[in-house]
Amino acid sequence: MKEIKDIVAAFDRAQQQGQQTALATVVGVEGSAYRRPGARMLITEDGSLTGAISGGCLEGDALRKAQQVMFRQQSMLVTYDTTDEDDAKLGVGLGCNGIIHILIEPIVPGAPHHPIQLLKDWLQQRQSAVLATLFSLDDRRGPQPGTALLLTANGARRHAFFDSAGWHQALIDDTEEALRTGMPLTRQYAQYTAFIEVLQAPVSLLVFGAGNDAIPLTALAGVLGWEATVIDGRPNYASLQRFPLAHRVLVAKPEQALQHLLIDQRTAAVLMTHNYNYDLAMLRQLLPLQLPYIGSLGPKKKLERMLEELRSEGPDIPAEQLQKVYGPTGLDIGAEGAEEIALSITAEIQTVLTASSGAPLRNKKAPIHESRRLEVGSEK
């Protein structure tokens, strides 16, 4: 999410400066690689790079090829085989023992639904979407359609490419399947392979409390590309001057707070007002909403006391609601100061939203990322 926002912003700056641009996208990985399919990098004609397609080993070569793409105004599919010793001799050995396919597309601002415009269309709406990118492994010198289709959760479709072939309905069907399951797909349609990518809405972080310890939490959320909203009843605390990286800052009493907020399954909340009654009032309202994460700053006894008060009001709190409450909020990383606590909280939210363990990667027996062949699925 953060990478896409940065790429869109860099594209707008390049347009203002009258510079040509190209977009490099990792469309397929076989074996191990630093970045996975969907990683992107914007290249401008002056050599500026935004985003990343590797750990830094491929960027230089991709820049040279992107300059060719901008000059010819024709997409190019580039494959780096890091299992091949010859690639290492050329200076692009990644030590990852994998094959990486990268599509480099020229961005033509006047073209309808060019790749950056499709990404902009998605960013303007807070919802999940699916993006399909078409390329040909069989005919690398032939047409490379590139970023072709955006399907949003509300059913809206944006097309950048379609020919008269009969397989385009199969592509639409597969994008709908990916949107429904939330799982990316790679499919083969006649001469083209399609990488069908699932784009998740940005994390919405609701920070209840505008004390000094909330400042690094919202700042870190901004670095991650999350949309942090700070809510507090004290106008001298809840201000944009104190929280410049916050998406929104609201001054509201507990009974009014949720009236101004959009709540969905990508929303996490942290109670850190240091005001017991405010936190209790918000917990009372948040529990029935089935947020994936509700964090309570402070000792466990505080949370237990709040829950006991809510139970006394009846009815009893369902177990599935209690499972979403994390108190004390954060992972056990030995945090002391506000900045370390912010890291602890954001790390725990990330593990919850991605259903990850938070355990050290060195203890993981399987590869960090699932390895799969590029071409999966049936011929269409």
Side-chain angles (χ1 to χ4, degrees):
M1 165 56 68
K2 179 66 162 53
E3 187 171 69
I4 292 178
K5 287 183 176 180
D6 290 344
I7 284 172
V8 168
F11 171 78
D12 288 341
R13 290 193 298 270
Q15 287 298 289
Q16 293 171 0
Q17 298 166 3
Q19 294 197 58
Q20 294 188 70
T21 57
L23 183 67
T25 305
V26 178
V27 292
V29 171
E30 301 176 67
S32 176
Y34 183 80
R35 298 298 307 272
R36 305 304 295 170
R40 291 179 174 83
M41 181 175 72
L42 185 79
I43 306 102
T44 60
E45 63 177 293
D46 66 356
S48 298
L49 306 177
T50 304
I53 52 173
S54 75
C57 302
L58 298 183
E59 276 70 8
D61 189 70
L63 168 60
R64 291 188 290 272
K65 289 183 169 58
Q67 290 170 335
Q68 298 177 35
V69 165
M70 287 184 275
F71 177 75
R72 299 173 182 171
Q73 289 294 289
Q74 183 176 343
S75 298
M76 177 189 300
L77 182 68
V78 185
T79 296
Y80 298 96
D81 185 350
T82 63
T83 66
D84 190 337
E85 292 183 359
D86 288 338
D87 270 357
K89 293 176 184 177
L90 293 173
V92 297
L94 301 181
C96 293
N97 198 34
I99 300 172
I100 304 103
H101 302 278
I102 296 173
L103 183 69
I104 306 176
E105 307 172 72
I107 307 301
V108 183
H113 307 309
H114 60 76
I116 301 298
Q117 186 59 53
L118 291 178
L119 293 173
K120 282 186 176 182
D121 290 346
W122 167 62
L123 286 174
Q124 289 171 358
Q125 309 173 58
R126 182 175 171 76
Q127 56 182 298
S128 299
V130 169
L131 194 66
T133 302
L134 291 168
F135 54 97
S136 176
L137 288 167
D138 297 330
D139 185 9
R140 295 172 182 270
R141 296 184 179 276
Q144 301 288 345
T147 309
L149 171 66
L150 176 73
L151 174 66
T152 56
N154 63 5
R157 288 200 297 265
R158 301 287 187 274
H159 302 274
F161 167 87
F162 268 118
D163 59 17
S164 58
W167 50 261
H168 63 266
Q169 184 58 51
L171 173 61
I172 293 173
D173 292 343
D174 285 336
T175 58
E176 291 175 347
E177 176 189 345
L179 186 61
R180 183 175 61 256
T181 63
M183 298 297 294
L185 300 170
T186 301
R187 290 287 188 262
Q188 186 76 25
Y189 310 98
Q191 74 271 35
Y192 296 124
T193 300
F195 167 54
I196 302 173
E197 173 188 7
V198 179
L199 302 173
Q200 297 284 0
V203 175
S204 174
L205 178 62
L206 307 181
V207 181
F208 293 95
N212 290 342
D213 53 356
I215 295 175
L217 178 58
T218 57
L220 183 52
V223 170
L224 294 171
W226 297 2
E227 296 177 350
T229 301
V230 179
I231 309 101
D232 198 299
R234 302 167 294 178
N236 56 325
Y237 280 76
S239 67
L240 282 172
Q241 288 72 28
R242 282 172 51 79
F243 295 92
L245 294 183
H247 184 66
R248 295 175 68 191
V249 178
L250 300 175
V251 178
K253 296 179 180 179
E255 58 271 17
Q256 301 167 336
L258 297 187
Q259 298 175 9
H260 309 283
L261 301 173
L262 175 64
I263 306 293
D264 56 30
Q265 286 304 303
R266 296 280 291 171
T267 301
V270 179
L271 306 174
M272 52 189 310
T273 66
H274 302 281
N275 181 315
Y276 178 86
N277 291 326
Y278 197 115
D279 283 357
L280 175 63
M282 291 316 309
L283 184 59
R284 181 184 293 110
Q285 297 177 68
L286 292 171
L287 275 173
L289 300 181
Q290 289 294 298
L291 272 65
Y293 183 96
I294 301 174
S296 174
L297 186 69
K300 182 175 292 186
K301 287 185 177 180
K302 172 194 169 185
L303 175 60
E304 292 174 344
R305 179 185 168 191
M306 289 194 294
L307 292 173
E308 189 58 37
E309 283 200 45
L310 295 180
R311 289 190 184 97
S312 67
E313 298 172 3
D316 197 17
I317 304 171
E320 58 269 21
Q321 292 183 12
L322 292 175
Q323 290 175 355
K324 310 291 185 180
V325 182
Y326 294 78
T329 182
L331 296 180
D332 183 5
I333 61 171
E336 290 290 342
E339 291 78 11
E340 295 171 352
I341 292 171
L343 175 62
S344 168
I345 295 171
T346 53
E348 184 174 52
I349 294 172
Q350 176 71 9
T351 62
V352 170
L353 294 180
T354 58
S356 303
S357 67
L361 286 173
R362 72 174 184 177
N363 296 341
K364 190 171 183 177
K365 303 303 181 183
I368 297 174
H369 300 290
E370 179 185 357
S371 178
R372 59 178 181 142
R373 292 192 60 80
L374 174 64
E375 297 183 24
V376 298
S378 58
E379 182 88 10
K380 300 290 184 179

